[in-house]
Amino acid sequence: MESGFTSSLSGGRASPYDAAEQLRLEQVRLAYDQMTPSQLVAALNALVFVAVQSLVIAPHVLVAWLSAVCLLALVRIAGATAFRRAAPQPAAIGRWRAYVIAGAAASGIIWGSAAVFLFPPMNAAHQVFVAFMVGGMVAGSVTTLGPVFPAFACFAILAVGPVIVRFTSQHDVVPYAMGWMALVFLVAVIVIARRSHRGLSDMLLLRIQNARLIGEVLAMQGRLARSQEELETLRRGSR
């Protein structure tokens, strides 16, 4: 990534707009760099989740849900491959950023649907396991989706929201308390992800600015070398 910074940012002082475009490119690039491993982990977690819930949920429901997770994972991995092949420039990054957000939202809908379709009404242990699995996926996505904060926010809200509704709609003290705890978790993880996003953005912006400064120094060195060569040529010609 360092070489990409230097090659794309050298040669002239950047305007704030250019720096913002480059920052957005690097944020999206980080999200796509982590896409393949994160989706493989998601598929593996979904497989374990389905295996545990198979004790209380109908097989055809589990197969349909697992198929949706795996299909979306394949689509998002293909998108990451296409991004690397396209190597888009900063001005064209908006479309790829929208794909990251859309993919995260779709993933949030699927994982949130577990609170509807994989939530056994009369089995507290498996209900807690649903909350544990969804919460773990959201916590893990702080790192993978944090560079593009709207993508993380969409995933977290769509995944945890149905869990909150499902628990708080039960007329019992323990599930109701768990629903409110899930809400507190959602707010806390969004705040943490936002702060992480800001810290990462500051770090990336510093790298962008440093790369531009290096490019300017190299350009000045080149101009100085050419000036010295021209001066030496004039001296030789005057002899």
Side-chain angles (χ1 to χ4, degrees):
M1 189 179 295
E2 294 290 348
S3 61
F5 275 147
T6 305
S7 62
S8 62
L9 300 178
S10 60
R13 185 173 298 277
S15 67
Y17 178 79
D18 293 335
E21 290 261 316
Q22 186 67 32
L23 174 60
R24 181 168 292 191
L25 170 62
E26 296 306 323
Q27 291 170 340
V28 173
R29 182 178 294 165
L30 283 176
Y32 276 111
D33 284 345
Q34 301 176 90
M35 189 71 70
T36 298
S38 68
Q39 292 309 297
L40 292 177
V41 170
L44 180 60
N45 285 344
L47 184 61
V48 174
F49 186 31
V50 164
V52 173
Q53 297 300 93
S54 65
L55 300 174
V56 291
I57 302 296
H60 69 278
V61 175
L62 296 172
V63 170
W65 186 85
L66 181 61
S67 298
V69 172
C70 293
L71 180 60
L72 179 61
L74 289 175
V75 170
R76 299 181 75 186
I77 290 173
T81 302
F83 176 83
R84 286 190 290 270
R85 289 178 179 175
Q89 296 303 307
I93 202 61
R95 175 167 62 95
W96 295 98
R97 187 174 185 270
Y99 291 160
V100 173
I101 297 173
S107 182
I109 291 172
I110 292 175
W111 281 95
S113 70
V116 178
F117 301 110
L118 277 66
F119 196 91
M122 301 302 294
N123 193 308
H126 285 268
Q127 292 177 1
V128 172
F129 189 66
V130 171
F132 170 80
M133 182 62 71
V134 173
M137 291 296 300
V138 170
S141 66
V142 171
T143 301
T144 58
L145 293 176
V148 182
F149 178 74
F152 171 80
C154 287
F155 175 71
I157 293 171
L158 292 172
V160 179
V163 175
I164 296 172
V165 173
R166 194 64 188 261
F167 275 116
T168 55
S169 63
Q170 298 187 50
H171 302 290
D172 198 357
V173 175
V174 174
Y176 192 76
M178 288 188 64
W180 280 102
M181 289 174 63
L183 177 60
V184 171
F185 166 78
L186 176 60
V187 173
V189 78
I190 288 177
V191 171
I192 292 170
R194 182 61 177 172
R195 290 180 177 177
S196 175
H197 170 77
R198 289 177 177 174
L200 178 62
S201 298
D202 290 342
M203 183 190 70
L204 289 174
L205 190 58
L206 285 175
R207 292 178 65 183
I208 291 169
Q209 293 171 345
N210 288 340
R212 289 190 183 276
L213 289 175
I214 291 172
E216 291 177 7
V217 170
L218 292 175
M220 291 177 64
Q221 288 177 343
R223 290 194 294 268
L224 180 60
R226 288 192 297 270
S227 298
Q228 290 175 342
E229 291 175 358
E230 293 173 357
L231 181 59
E232 184 65 25
T233 301
L234 290 175
R235 287 177 179 178
R236 292 176 182 175
S238 61
R239 291 178 183 177

